[in-house]
Amino acid sequence: FDIQELRLRVRNALSRTKLGTVTNPVTNLPEGALLDERLSEWLKKDNWAMLHIRLENLDAFRENYGFVASDDVLKAIGLMISAVMRDDGSLDDFLGQLGPTDFVLVTTFSLKVVLKDRILSRMEQSLDYFYPLKDRGKAELLSKRITTKIGILDASQGSFQDLAVLPP
């Protein structure tokens, strides 16, 4: 086993016990009860849109490059999404972490496409930099490369008064 990886896992576990389930220990983004509370607040509004941002193949990346590199990817992606929100979103936009590879960005209906396009553009430009130079062009790694998928749900698609009725 890798001593540095073990040390980081222990540190992250200790951080989680101190913070409870309020923020993710890697990205410092809201999760758990705090995320649920903020999403419930947005559902009461008329003009909301949720972007579900999913990283695919992060497990394969973790297997090849380790826990520390995987955490670095998550931190960087959280920061990238936050930067897009700051540059192109509104002050009321909200970003949280749904799971180990899933983020949710809540914004207004009018900004959903702009934010989606900007996030996808930044991800496309940046994801290669997480891989060592020697691996960037390898054909066998292309199918396991980290990719980003974004789904959009908004208030016009139904009456969502509770988190339980949101589609998975």
Side-chain angles (χ1 to χ4, degrees):
F1 61 90
D2 180 10
I3 294 292
Q4 183 178 6
E5 184 172 336
L6 177 62
R7 181 178 33 213
L8 287 172
R9 284 185 184 262
V10 169
R11 185 196 71 203
N12 287 343
L14 290 173
S15 294
R16 276 193 297 272
T17 60
K18 290 177 190 172
L19 296 175
T21 59
V22 177
T23 60
N24 183 282
V26 174
T27 62
N28 286 327
L29 292 174
E31 68 177 4
L34 181 57
L35 176 63
D36 291 348
E37 179 183 319
R38 292 296 303 272
L39 292 178
S40 293
E41 290 172 10
W42 271 93
L43 289 177
K44 294 174 185 167
K45 299 178 182 182
D46 293 331
N47 187 27
W48 58 266
M50 289 184 191
L51 280 66
H52 179 195
I53 304 157
R54 172 170 284 160
L55 302 176
E56 297 193 337
N57 298 322
L58 189 63
D59 289 337
F61 180 89
R62 184 178 295 118
E63 287 176 21
N64 285 326
Y65 304 106
F67 176 82
V68 175
S70 175
D71 281 357
D72 288 344
V73 169
L74 286 172
K75 286 178 196 175
I77 288 174
L79 291 171
M80 276 189 260
I81 297 169
S82 295
V84 168
M85 288 171 53
R86 183 187 62 241
D87 295 344
D88 298 310
S90 73
L91 292 175
D92 293 330
D93 290 351
F94 172 75
L95 177 63
Q97 191 155 357
L98 287 173
T101 60
D102 296 83
F103 299 86
V104 63
L105 189 161
V106 188
T107 187
T108 60
F109 186 83
S110 62
L111 292 173
K112 67 182 181 180
V113 175
V114 171
L115 292 174
K116 177 185 176 185
D117 291 345
R118 292 283 288 160
I119 290 168
L120 286 173
S121 172
R122 288 222 183 149
M123 295 290 190
E124 188 175 308
Q125 295 169 8
S126 304
L127 287 174
D128 278 344
Y129 292 107
F130 295 116
Y131 293 89
L133 283 173
K134 65 180 177 61
D135 291 346
R136 289 186 191 170
K138 288 186 177 178
E140 65 270 12
L141 292 177
L142 289 178
S143 65
K144 297 178 183 178
R145 185 178 181 272
I146 298 172
T147 58
T148 307
K149 299 234 172 145
I150 301 179
I152 298 177
L153 179 70
D154 62 53
S156 70
Q157 294 172 295
S159 177
F160 304 104
Q161 299 300 318
D162 187 348
L163 290 177
V165 297
L166 288 176

